[in-house]
Amino acid sequence: MNTYIAYFDETGDDGIATTSSDHFILTSLYMPSENWQQNFNLMRSLRKELRDKYGFHVTEEMHTKHFLTDKNPYRNYKWSKEIKQEIIKAFTLTIAEMDLKIVNVIIDKTKFIDGNYRILENALKYNIQRIENDSDGTWNYLIITDEGRIAPMRKTARAIRSYNPIQSKYSYEFMNQPIANMIADILEKNSSESYFIQICDFVSFFVHLYFLTEIRNVSLPKRVANVIDDNFVKRVMATLKTSGRLNLKANESNQYGLVIYPK
């Protein structure tokens, strides 16, 4: 059986309060282990190109929110709006070249009334379920996530190995379909040391911007709008879709496969 490697990162606050964010997004990307080096080389080549063109240090972490809102260390580069746009385009096109799939789960905090709703745990469960469905028993997978939330994520992953209720497509009944193809416990890695966690961060933040503008129908945050507009966000999403990077089967009722809960 072939083995895949899955990476996770998020955008937003996973607490119940909506003061800091009214939704939470958990993004995963996964790839066959034999394609890891090829995908790594693509991003490494991009980072060298960005270093040569714009002075963007190869070892500098790409934290997309901070990049677009002109926070340090990116403010020190003194890039123009046009250069920032070119860097975002280059990241998008490089991801589009990679052999991997991406799942995005959005938890809409404005839609649930249960004060005990476990946002991170549910987002992780729904995301792993999509990876498991995609594997269809033909490959297994190892999960690596950014540091900081490892304890609840491991607890959730362990729990759904034995109890994973799935609602039937044909009734309101639930069936237990334990997760069978996940290997070992979830591992953690500092995002600054992983291009692939940084890619999850990149995609997750653009899904966040898309959710704001196209589903919430609100304006982009002012500091983001100083660099890009709504159409730019849609072009990033469209590129990820047309290149086949988004797992559209994660939610066939959404054009980008976005999984949004509660329904």
Side-chain angles (χ1 to χ4, degrees), residues 99-148:
D99 186 352
L100 52 80
K101 287 288 185 182
I102 297 169
V103 172
N104 296 287
V105 173
I106 303 171
I107 303 296
D108 184 348
K109 297 184 190 180
T110 68
K111 292 291 182 65
F112 60 78
I113 58 175
D114 181 2
N116 296 314
Y117 191 94
R118 297 182 179 276
I119 293 173
L120 174 62
E121 291 86 340
N122 280 305
L124 178 63
K125 179 176 68 173
Y126 299 142
N127 207 307
I128 290 176
Q129 286 172 349
R130 270 64 184 185
I131 298 174
E132 183 85 7
N133 290 343
D134 200 20
S135 76
D136 196 27
T138 62
W139 41 266
N140 51 30
Y141 52 95
L142 179 71
I143 294 177
I144 301 172
T145 187
D146 191 14
E147 295 175 337

Side-chain angles (χ1 to χ4, degrees), residues 30-262:
Y30 51 99
M31 70 191 84
S33 57
E34 66 264 26
N35 293 338
W36 187 94
Q37 190 65 53
Q38 176 185 336
N39 289 337
F40 177 87
N41 290 343
L42 284 168
M43 184 54 68
R44 184 71 173 176
S45 295
L46 170 65
R47 293 306 303 268
K48 289 180 178 178
E49 180 182 335
L50 296 178
R51 175 198 61 194
D52 296 341
K53 283 187 175 181
Y54 309 119
F56 193 179
H57 301 312
V58 172
T59 58
E60 192 86 82
E61 179 176 2
M62 179 56 167
H63 192 291
T64 308
K65 178 179 179 180
H66 292 174
F67 176 88
L68 286 172
T69 54
D70 199 35
K71 294 184 178 180
N72 285 329
Y74 312 106
R75 182 179 299 175
N76 296 329
Y77 287 100
K78 302 186 185 305
W79 288 315
S80 66
K81 176 180 75 173
E82 290 74 20
I83 288 177
K84 285 190 171 184
Q85 290 179 354
E86 289 304 313
I87 291 173
I88 291 294
K89 289 176 187 176
F91 264 87
T92 305
L93 292 173
T94 298
I95 296 168
E97 288 185 59
M98 294 180 175
D99 186 352
L100 52 80
K101 287 288 185 182
I102 297 169
V103 172
N104 296 287
V105 173
I106 303 171
I107 303 296
D108 184 348
K109 297 184 190 180
T110 68
K111 292 291 182 65
F112 60 78
I113 58 175
D114 181 2
N116 296 314
Y117 191 94
R118 297 182 179 276
I119 293 173
L120 174 62
E121 291 86 340
N122 280 305
L124 178 63
K125 179 176 68 173
Y126 299 142
N127 207 307
I128 290 176
Q129 286 172 349
R130 270 64 184 185
I131 298 174
E132 183 85 7
N133 290 343
D134 200 20
S135 76
D136 196 27
T138 62
W139 41 266
N140 51 30
Y141 52 95
L142 179 71
I143 294 177
I144 301 172
T145 187
D146 191 14
E147 295 175 337
R149 293 180 169 91
I150 193 66
M153 292 180 76
R154 280 181 175 168
K155 182 178 180 180
T156 298
R158 289 172 181 174
I160 59 178
R161 290 182 189 278
S162 58
Y163 183 64
N164 180 40
I166 303 291
Q167 186 173 351
S168 170
K169 293 181 179 180
Y170 309 106
S171 71
Y172 291 106
E173 296 181 353
F174 284 81
M175 301 175 293
N176 184 27
Q177 295 183 0
I179 297 298
N181 293 311
M182 180 171 53
I183 302 173
D185 274 332
I186 295 178
L187 305 177
E188 64 178 347
K189 189 175 182 68
N190 192 299
S191 59
S192 66
E193 300 175 352
S194 172
Y195 285 149
F196 299 115
I197 293 177
Q198 292 173 43
I199 291 173
C200 288
D201 170 84
F202 179 93
V203 174
S204 186
F205 192 68
F206 270 92
V207 169
H208 158 70
L209 297 178
Y210 177 83
F211 184 78
L212 284 178
T213 56
E214 297 299 313
I215 298 177
R216 284 270 190 264
N217 293 316
V218 299
S219 300
L220 289 172
K222 185 175 180 180
R223 297 184 74 175
V224 173
N226 288 334
V227 181
I228 59 175
D229 60 15
D230 299 10
N231 287 329
F232 192 103
V233 173
K234 287 189 281 189
R235 287 196 297 271
V236 169
M237 295 296 294
T239 299
L240 295 175
K241 177 182 178 179
T242 58
S243 63
R245 301 291 69 82
L246 299 178
N247 179 351
L248 302 181
K249 291 182 179 180
N251 180 12
E252 294 181 349
S253 65
N254 181 279
Q255 65 172 326
Y256 295 117
L258 304 180
V259 179
I260 305 174
Y261 276 90

